[in-house]
Amino acid sequence: VGSSCFDAIFTWERCCHQETAVGSGLPVVSSVHFQPLVPWNEIKVDMLIMGVSGCGTTSLASNLESHPQVTVQRYPGWDDDEAPEDEFFSLRLGRRLLPTKRMVEEFEGGFGSGLRVIKNPMYLDMPWLHSIFVRIPGLKFAILVCDPWWLFARERVLLMEKDEDIYQVQEGRRQALQVRQFLSVLGPEHGKRLRLMHTEILASPNPSCYAPVLHFLGASSFSDRQVLPRWNVNNSGLSREQVAWVCAMVPQGAARDIQEDYGDLQRLLVELGAAVPVVLRNRTGKCGTWPGAELLSS
């Protein structure tokens, strides 16, 4: 109709009484329902928080949600304290080229008033969505990266708790590679729409640490009296026994991958104008001295 697009839903019925030259029981269309589709430039969302699972995307979204100018998406019935993962692009959209009007209405109904934020760390590793994200005007991207050794340790401790064989699990792609793949889709204008952050931002209860990401989003800084929960970036609750187990089980191949990831992340942070965290600078060339050793000696 005009320049509008519609999604057609066909309902099929098997006609058992119709005889044709090729046989009976052929399916026929009993009804057709049309749903208007919404172009991506009409989707209203201000920032998408991505990263690597376990790097603190939930903590960042939850802390931003406490700001009076920010609203984090929550579908009706989701009363969790933590900011939920967005499902619109990963599950509800499926492999559609465009969402229906009803889908968009449900999506936008999950926001309150204020700057709209969604988060799902796994979106960084879903390349078929990246070309969709760049078509949403005004959408900014906050990508969290963290200590490569911490990611390795966290994964291995989870395996230990599940009693799985450490050597039977393939290593995932390195963080820097995932970010660069996204940048290749975002194009030369990525500097204006992307902010790369390290989880050290979450280690301080000082609300001023959030000023850069809030200004990037378009919100004012937190009040000096704002109290924010602190996330322990360095060990996040790993016990001495768990750290000792991980250190003893690091395969040589994984050690090389982790060391390369430190260097790649440092170069990426410099390239995008972000400060290189101390936790990354101090690990360069120290592959034999694993983080967490101070826990074992204390």
Side-chain angles (χ1 to χ4, degrees):
V1 181
S3 59
S4 301
C5 295
F6 290 84
D7 188 40
I9 298 178
F10 293 85
T11 302
W12 298 87
E13 291 183 355
R14 187 166 295 279
C15 180
C16 300
H17 303 290
Q18 182 180 12
E19 296 290 338
T20 67
V22 294
S24 61
L26 297 177
V28 295
V29 177
S30 63
S31 62
V32 181
H33 301 278
F34 291 95
Q35 299 185 61
L37 299 177
V38 179
W40 292 117
N41 59 8
E42 295 183 11
I43 303 295
K44 298 177 181 178
V45 60
D46 296 288
M47 190 167 76
L48 167 60
I49 298 175
M50 296 186 290
V52 180
S53 182
C55 274
T57 54
T58 298
S59 295
L60 176 60
S62 297
N63 287 348
L64 292 179
E65 190 176 23
S66 64
H67 192 285
Q69 294 177 302
V70 177
T71 173
V72 175
Q73 177 208 49
R74 291 177 181 272
Y75 284 108
W78 288 7
D79 298 325
D80 297 340
D81 292 335
E82 294 184 337
E85 309 285 10
D86 172 67
E87 294 182 348
F88 177 73
F89 293 98
S90 59
L91 296 178
R92 303 184 182 220
L93 181 66
R95 293 300 180 100
R96 291 172 175 268
L97 297 178
L98 290 172
T100 66
K101 183 178 180 181
R102 179 178 298 177
M103 292 170 62
V104 172
E105 289 173 347
E106 291 178 353
F107 171 71
E108 295 189 344
F111 294 103
S113 60
L115 295 164
R116 298 178 173 186
V117 174
I118 61 175
K119 69 99 179 174
N120 191 324
M122 301 308 295
Y123 283 173
L124 186 61
D125 200 26
M126 295 182 178
W128 61 90
L129 294 178
H130 297 171
S131 59
I132 290 176
F133 294 150
V134 298
R135 288 179 169 83
I136 301 177
L139 177 59
K140 298 176 181 178
F141 309 96
I143 299 182
L144 270 173
V145 295
C146 59
D147 186 338
W149 186 90
W150 154 242
L151 280 181
F152 179 87
R154 176 180 176 273
E155 179 183 352
R156 289 316 183 263
V157 168
L158 290 175
L159 289 177
M160 179 176 65
E161 292 173 349
K162 296 177 182 178
D163 197 26
E164 295 185 26
D165 189 344
I166 188 173
Y167 297 109
Q168 297 301 315
V169 180
Q170 278 195 323
E171 291 297 318
R173 286 184 297 169
R174 295 194 299 270
Q175 295 176 79
L177 177 59
Q178 289 177 298
V179 176
R180 286 194 183 280
Q181 287 178 330
F182 178 69
L183 293 180
S184 68
V185 177
L186 198 55
E189 296 297 316
H190 64 73
K192 299 178 181 178
R193 298 182 64 182
L194 180 141
R195 186 161 197 97
L196 188 65
M197 298 174 292
H198 189 273
T199 46
E200 279 194 335
I201 186 178
L202 304 172
S204 172
N206 188 340
S208 64
C209 292
Y210 288 81
V213 66
L214 284 169
H215 293 168
F216 172 68
L217 177 57
S220 60
S221 300
F222 275 121
S223 165
D224 292 338
R225 295 189 299 269
Q226 180 76 36
V227 178
L228 297 172
R230 179 177 178 177
W231 191 60
N232 191 338
V233 177
N234 288 328
N235 79 18
S236 284
L238 289 181
S239 68
R240 295 185 185 183
E241 292 77 13
Q242 289 171 330
V243 171
W245 181 83
V246 171
C247 290
M249 297 294 287
V250 175
Q252 193 59 39
R256 288 193 297 270
D257 287 344
I258 295 171
Q259 183 64 11
E260 289 179 11
D261 205 8
Y262 277 116
D264 290 343
L265 280 177
Q266 289 193 49
R267 286 187 289 272
L268 189 60
L269 287 163
V270 171
E271 178 184 325
L272 295 178
V276 178
V278 174
V279 70
L280 293 185
R281 289 201 305 266
N282 290 348
R283 303 271 166 81
T284 304
K286 296 184 179 180
C287 209
T289 305
W290 292 102
E294 68 278 2
L295 294 176
L296 303 177
S297 58
S298 61

